[in-house]
Amino acid sequence: MSHNHPVILGIETSCDETAAAIVAGPELKSHVAASHIVHQAYGGVVPEYASREHEKLLAPVVQNTMSQASVSWKDIDAIAVTQGPGLAGSLLVGLSYAKGLAVALDKPLLGINHIEGHIFANFIGQDGLPTPFLCLLVSGGHTQLIHVKDIQNYRLIGQTRDDAAGEAFDKVARMLGIGYPGGPLIDRLSQAGDPRFVAFPRSRFDASYDFSFSGLKTAVLYYLQKQSNAFIKSHLEDIAASFQQAVVEVLVERAFQAAVDLGLDRLVLAGGVAANSALRRLVDERAAEAQMTVYQPDLRYCTDNAAMIAYMGYWKYRISQTSELTIPAYPNLKLSFGT
Ligand code: KG4
Ligand code: ZN
């Protein structure tokens, strides 16, 4: 294959999705994901089960994505794999598999930061990036405002001081007894609810772009403790919508304020919570008023996927940033921030 359009296999096993994808240059050729349903019965991801599921699913998922892209082993120019952050055991399954392939095929290994994958998932298929921009990264583990000056040149503007936005969705869903994962379920339930039904608190910090969601979570808990089961049941949609609105308003308000203060006119949404329909709607509304260009990832690439890993692999390959075969899994891998 031509070196302008390297064929890259991307592998993602950081949590409870076993996923693989193929890009040729920036272009996505195929992507396949298998979600682990085994965790549903436990109301959250069970790390040991996740590792076992990855072991079982990874080889067939890779075969499947390769056949969908009509790619054989000899066509692959590099292997990109999530190095972190994520569950240690889960990361190791993908990383060991990718290292084995790199040795067997004698091709470079590209260790990918999952967070960077989420940010650039917006541009899958594109050969250029609209930097600089402000990124609102909202996932199960992260809530951050990041000034993206260029690829690998980031500045942290604000972040949550306690729970991540996605974590708040998951915890409140558990309080409401509606199941796991909470984000999509609350989103769906809220469509039929009144977001002004309960005035839950919006926390703000003066002179900071930081977030906090633990007070909101406690407010929901106290509110539920005061109501009868019958009342909660008949107003489940309204309570869910009111909680969701409180999260979404704070995120959007902070993000737009930071963008304006930094003189940035592009806002990029990233991470699982970027799939939230109320968030997407409010961001679109505010963008029109503020004359801001907004990028929202395609719904398929908001939550964990390998398309974003393969695409990041393309960028790393382009700047010849290959990894040693000895790289470890980094469960707490962070983005590195400059000033
Ligand atoms: O990015 P992601 O798939 O995994 C991490 O890297 O953390 O994000 C998962 C998080 C979960 O907390 C999930 O509840 C949340 O994203 N999420 C949503 C929606 N879809 C997923 N939260 C709100 N609304 C959604 N539609
Ligand atoms: Zn993720």
Side-chain angles (χ1 to χ4, degrees), residues 142-197:
H142 288 76
T143 301
Q144 293 183 328
L145 283 168
I146 302 164
H147 180 176
V148 177
K149 297 179 182 179
D150 201 347
I151 200 157
Q152 296 187 337
N153 186 355
Y154 313 117
R155 190 158 81 91
L156 183 65
I157 303 302
Q159 65 184 327
T160 182
R161 295 190 182 178
D162 38 62
D163 290 351
E167 201 179 345
F169 270 95
D170 296 335
K171 287 179 178 169
V172 167
R174 209 171 304 155
M175 289 180 206
L176 294 171
I178 56 175
Y180 178 89
L185 295 169
I186 287 188
D187 192 350
R188 205 172 321 136
L189 207 57
S190 299
Q191 321 248 334
D194 173 6
R196 284 172 303 277
F197 187 74

Side-chain angles (χ1 to χ4, degrees), residues 30-75:
S30 65
H31 66 110
V32 173
S35 309
H36 307 174
I37 38 179
V38 53
H39 309 294
Q40 269 170 11
Y42 301 91
V45 177
V46 184
E48 187 55 34
Y49 288 165
S51 313
R52 279 191 235 164
E53 290 293 293
H54 288 306
E55 290 267 3
K56 220 168 32 193
L57 294 167
L58 185 54
V61 162
V62 167
Q63 289 291 351
N64 193 347
T65 203
M66 284 175 61
S67 72
Q68 284 190 28
S70 304
V71 157
S72 62
W73 296 118
K74 67 177 182 345
D75 300 322

Side-chain angles (χ1 to χ4, degrees), residues 212-327:
S212 164
F213 296 107
S214 75
L216 170 61
K217 191 185 62 188
T218 310
V220 174
L221 181 67
Y222 287 169
Y223 176 82
L224 293 174
Q225 283 173 350
K226 279 189 294 186
Q227 317 299 333
S228 70
N229 283 343
F231 180 89
I232 294 171
K233 211 170 160 199
S234 64
H235 287 290
L236 207 53
E237 292 88 349
D238 299 323
I239 300 166
S242 301
F243 158 75
Q244 175 174 274
Q245 189 66 16
V247 176
V248 162
E249 277 181 14
V250 170
L251 290 174
V252 173
E253 190 213 307
R254 269 355 217 167
F256 276 83
Q257 190 60 53
V260 169
D261 293 350
L262 290 165
L264 296 169
D265 60 4
R266 287 182 287 260
L267 176 66
V268 168
L269 255 54
V273 183
N276 185 266
S277 60
L279 177 63
R280 294 171 85 94
R281 208 174 320 119
L282 191 59
V283 164
D284 276 338
E285 272 171 37
R286 293 282 167 86
E289 291 161 17
Q291 300 197 318
M292 191 94 66
T293 306
V294 164
Y295 298 84
Q296 314 211 24
D298 191 299
L299 282 179
R300 288 169 299 177
Y301 314 134
C302 284
T303 46
D304 292 345
N305 65 87
M308 67 185 194
I309 304 303
Y311 180 65
M312 262 324 287
Y314 161 69
W315 280 99
K316 290 249 169 174
Y317 190 89
R318 221 170 106 156
I319 55 177
S320 302
Q321 229 177 54
T322 57
S323 306
E324 299 290 330
L325 284 172
T326 49
I327 58 167

Side-chain angles (χ1 to χ4, degrees), residues 85-121:
L87 300 169
S90 292
L91 288 166
L92 267 178
V93 175
L95 196 60
S96 312
Y97 182 93
K99 286 178 181 177
L101 270 186
V103 171
L105 303 175
D106 194 20
K107 296 292 166 164
L109 179 73
L110 306 157
I112 306 296
N113 183 323
H114 180 87
I115 305 297
E116 223 171 3
H118 273 303
I119 297 174
F120 293 101

